[in-house]
Amino acid sequence: MRRLAIIFFLLLYALTAGAQQNNSVAWADDYCSERLKDVDASYQEGNFIDCIGILERVLKSCDLSRKEKELALELLAKCYVETNEMGKAESTVNLLLKNFPHYELKEDDNPELYNRLVKKYLIHPLFTIGAKNTANWLRHKTIKAYSVLNALDYNKTQDESGYWFTYYGLAEYEFVRDISLSIDGMVFWSRYGRNITKDPSFSLSYWESDDFMEIPVYLKKYFHPAKNFLAYASAGFGPFINYRAKGSVTLSYKKADIVTTGKDADFDGGLYNINMLPIKNRLTGQWNAGIGFGYTIKNLRFFLDARYLSVTGSVTAPEKSDLIPELKNDFFYIDQEMKINQLEVGATISYTLFNSVKRIRK
């Protein structure tokens, strides 16, 4: 008798497990979508208790698309509101917004209590990364000129022209809604030259190529002129680093001309690929200010940007010119104190990795 009871129990367990498995398979197919549509209609008819049971099962058992899951959580929260289960309603709204931070509240379609629950939360991008492509107009601005030979004009401006495209990587932390702390990183090169001549008998030419790293750090304030449109203003300060500087100089003059009086022979020669870093200020500061206008699609943002950057001190150190004596003594060249100014106009694309969802009201 005991053996028959055990066999009967095992058969009953197998049948129950099979029925549950078959039921689970059925709920995992298109049946889930159909049930979700039925629930939506049933909610409109006021069958809130029935809807809650089905929605809880759908969310637990079905592999829903993102759109379907958003709808299911919205309906479940509204059903809880209608049945006065406000604790469950609030927990469901919290889950809804954390999973779908770009959820669009359509107030006319909802109970007022549900709208109030959603409005208790403040949502904004938290951590964003991106890339920026800009056209960069760079200018070397003289702060102070130094001289080696009194007969020469060392105030001559640098020869530089045009612009080039530069690329930034960026990261942004929006610690308060519409106010963020941002940091960019970029390496770029610059080139300038100087030609100092006196009559046809003396010609001094110098040109230099530098590699820099700039790391603008800045605060950004966002504005919302229209739906999905953003504008911003930014300002900040960051390090400006010169990590490579190569210079070349050529000199040609005639014996005993009016510039090099006392020299006993004609000269025509040059120095090439001189390491100029010893007479550079390798680390300086740089302030920045910018504006931008953009469009956002959920976690994606597209901006048109303009920014001005200016080094606060001299990137050169002429007072250290004795560290390369042949440049000064044999070729009569000394650099100016100068800073670098930049105007950038370009475009930015960014993606928000994490959003902030915070309850701001009780």
Side-chain angles (χ1 to χ4, degrees):
M1 187 67 180
R2 182 180 298 178
R3 184 177 298 176
L4 290 174
I6 293 174
I7 293 173
F8 175 79
F9 176 78
L10 291 175
L11 287 173
L12 181 62
Y13 177 80
L15 289 172
T16 302
Q20 290 177 345
Q21 184 177 10
N22 290 335
N23 191 37
S24 176
V25 171
W27 278 78
D29 293 328
D30 294 340
Y31 185 68
C32 288
S33 298
E34 294 300 323
R35 293 298 285 162
L36 193 56
K37 292 177 183 177
D38 292 342
V39 169
D40 194 7
S42 185
Y43 170 80
Q44 302 301 329
E45 296 172 1
N47 300 320
F48 307 124
I49 299 296
D50 293 340
C51 290
I52 288 173
I54 296 173
L55 286 167
E56 288 177 343
R57 179 67 182 277
V58 165
L59 287 166
K60 182 178 181 180
S61 304
C62 295
D63 185 15
L64 300 174
S65 66
R66 285 186 58 82
K67 185 176 181 180
E68 289 173 335
K69 186 175 182 180
E70 181 179 1
L71 174 60
L73 288 170
E74 178 189 53
L75 286 173
L76 183 58
K78 290 196 287 188
C79 286
Y80 283 140
V81 168
E82 297 288 2
T83 57
N84 202 31
E85 298 181 79
M86 298 307 296
K88 291 183 177 180
E90 184 162 345
S91 297
T92 306
V93 166
N94 182 280
L95 184 61
L96 169 66
L97 297 178
K98 286 186 178 295
N99 280 275
F100 305 97
H102 301 286
Y103 169 73
E104 184 176 355
L105 178 64
K106 299 177 181 178
E107 297 189 41
D108 293 340
D109 299 337
N110 307 318
E112 179 59 26
L113 285 176
Y114 174 80
N115 292 333
R116 290 179 186 175
L117 283 179
V118 175
K119 290 179 181 179
K120 287 182 178 180
Y121 289 85
L122 182 65
I123 303 170
H124 62 82
L126 182 64
F127 184 72
T128 300
I129 59 172
K132 179 184 296 186
N133 182 14
T134 66
N136 188 319
W137 286 265
L138 182 149
R139 292 292 179 268
H140 297 80
K141 181 179 179 180
T142 298
I143 301 173
K144 182 180 179 180
Y146 292 76
S147 299
V148 178
L149 298 177
N150 293 330
L152 295 180
D153 181 12
Y154 286 87
N155 284 293
K156 184 173 177 59
T157 58
Q158 294 80 21
D159 297 323
E160 53 191 354
S161 61
Y163 66 92
W164 57 91
F165 286 98
T166 57
Y167 301 89
Y168 286 90
L170 63 91
E172 181 176 349
Y173 176 65
E174 193 168 321
F175 55 93
V176 177
R177 187 183 183 187
D178 295 333
I179 300 178
S180 67
L181 177 65
S182 299
I183 182 169
D184 298 350
M186 186 197 73
V187 295
F188 72 98
W189 63 272
S190 76
R191 182 180 174 87
Y192 71 92
R194 298 172 70 194
N195 293 298
I196 303 172
T197 60
K198 187 72 174 181
D199 300 325
S201 60
F202 184 95
S203 178
L204 171 62
S205 294
Y206 177 81
W207 61 98
E208 181 175 312
S209 178
D210 298 320
D211 290 336
F212 297 98
M213 176 182 293
E214 59 184 357
I215 308 174
V217 180
Y218 51 96
L219 287 174
K220 184 184 288 186
K221 168 62 178 174
Y222 285 105
F223 305 92
H224 302 266
K227 183 179 178 181
N228 292 104
F229 285 93
L230 291 172
Y232 75 81
S234 68
F237 189 86
F240 189 77
I241 304 165
N242 185 350
Y243 64 91
R244 179 183 175 276
K246 292 290 184 179
S248 297
V249 61
T250 60
L251 176 63
S252 175
Y253 61 81
K254 299 295 184 180
K255 176 182 178 180
D257 63 16
I258 60 174
V259 177
T260 56
T261 301
K263 297 293 181 180
D264 57 3
D266 296 345
F267 182 85
D268 189 0
L271 289 175
Y272 303 94
N273 292 319
I274 313 165
N275 179 18
M276 299 295 292
L277 280 179
I279 58 174
K280 299 291 180 181
N281 291 319
R282 302 181 63 176
L283 176 63
T284 50
Q286 181 191 57
W287 64 264
N288 62 81
I291 56 174
F293 186 78
Y295 186 80
T296 179
I297 305 174
K298 295 188 176 180
N299 287 327
L300 276 175
R301 289 178 173 184
F302 305 90
F303 279 96
L304 296 177
D305 313 281
R307 181 165 64 177
Y308 189 80
L309 306 100
S310 180
V311 175
T312 55
S314 176
V315 295
T316 61
E319 69 277 7
K320 300 177 183 178
S321 59
D322 288 340
L323 295 177
I324 308 179
E326 61 270 32
L327 190 63
K328 181 179 179 180
N329 298 333
D330 299 335
F331 290 85
F332 313 117
Y333 182 79
I334 189 169
D335 223 333
Q336 303 170 339
E337 284 187 11
M338 66 179 75
K339 64 179 183 177
I340 293 178
N341 298 329
Q342 295 170 260
L343 173 63
E344 299 176 339
V345 178
T348 300
I349 181 172
S350 63
Y351 183 80
T352 299
L353 294 177
F354 305 104
N355 290 278
S356 172
V357 180
K358 290 185 178 180
R359 192 174 187 274
I360 58 173
R361 294 202 302 264
K362 292 184 178 179

